[in-house]
Amino acid sequence: MTHLDQHRSLQDRYAASLMNTFGPPKLVLTHGDGARVWDENGKAYLDLLGGIAVNALGHGHPALVHAVTAQLGTLGHVSNFFATQPQVELAEWLLALLGAGPGKVFFANSGAEANEAAFKLTRRTGRTHLVATEGAFHGRTMGALALTHKEAYRTPFEPLPGEVTFVPYGDSEALAAAVTDRTAAVVLEPVQGEAGVVVPPAGYLAAARRTTREHGALLWLDEIQTGIGRTGAWFAHRNPAVDPTAAHDPVVPDVVTVAKGLGGGIPIGACVALGAAGDLLGPGNHGTTFGGNPVATAAGLAVLRTIHADGLLDHASRVGARLRAGLAADPRVSEVRGAGLLIGLDLVEPRSAEVTEAALAAGFIINNPTPERIRLAPPLVLTETDADAFLRAWPSLLDAAGLAQQHPQQDTTIGGPA
Ligand SMILES: *Cc1c(COP(=O)(O)O)cnc(C)c1O
């Protein structure tokens, strides 16, 4: 081996040793605590992205640390030739939280893998046509990519597993027109995450349920980003704050996929199939070495138990409402969307990259999924004090990003803090 690269920066070593799939990393991070992380220079950041909606309990939560270390010290991995208690308990918890009767769970290691399981499950209907939506993101494996809309992600990898029709998101009539008796499934995000937190019109999922039922197709909801408390309810499709019709007439899907927040940072995904759909994948139809691993499922249980015991659904609803109101108060924000702690907003000018950059410089991690849109998906444990610190900084971040004041005569921020 040549000299270990002690003298080169970790950023340079990263560039020399990791595939350039993500572009240069913005920072080197060394540790975290709650909703905060620190970089290699000791600078602290309020983490309002949570590892892309993953760190539901924040960083270093004692319940998660204890669950993972205790399980690893007891039994770390066994393969799916064997069963373990955390695996079975987590499956039971997910089915109970869905509140839609019996079903079956397949555990995977990521969101894309949960969706691959669901994709294969739909093929067992004997049909191959799928309907997905414009703006949808379902992951980067070949199957999940076939359902992901963005051309830049798809084109270099075609041909993708086929027969997918894309329809405009939120348009029930377009969906009804695309579904036929040959359609295996319709796949929808209850709120589109990567598109910048796009909430469909009320009754959209219910209409999709009617359409799929009429044609004997499955309704598959991708809750990988929206599930596990992210919107202030266990699942967005049952959250009246996302769709008021869910209060009296919640949609019962055939398949729900989850991942991101479920492990609180430990990689895990799950494909949950309800009712008869739970029996579509049989022996030999699918498999995984790691999926349902005791450490990952113990992590999932710790996340669910902590959200439940600490009242984090209500907390996320409350802190999220406060954030949305505060963000909307600046006239350079034209729209704020979302529920709980999944928040998207539109800027009046396409300067979201500059705003994200200014936020980082000021010690806040946020995300810019499109040139006009900002997304926040902080830990569900984010405090009101931390939310307020970000709201106080917000106008100055828009200033620093070069967003013109909308009402200069009313401006009070130029010339320094009041
Ligand atoms: C992140 C995401 C995925 C993919 O999950 P990975 O763990 O990155 O494979 C799929 N669907 C949705 C809605 C997501 O937000």
Side-chain angles (χ1 to χ4, degrees), residues 52 109-113 115 137-140 189 191 193-194 222-226 259-260 375:
I52 317 184
N109 310 294
S110 67
E113 275 186 70
N115 281 343
F137 182 84
H138 297 293
R140 304 293 206 119
E189 294 163 85
V191 174
E194 294 306 297
D222 179 343
E223 291 247 20
I224 288 166
Q225 185 155 164
T226 53
K260 291 200 165 87
R375 170 178 52 172

Side-chain angles (χ1 to χ4, degrees), residues 119 123 127-132 146-147 160-166 182-185:
F119 195 134
R123 286 283 171 101
R127 304 179 182 185
T128 53
H129 178 237
L130 293 168
V131 177
L147 305 166
L160 295 165
E163 273 204 277
V164 183
T165 304
F166 289 97
R182 291 181 44 259
T183 304

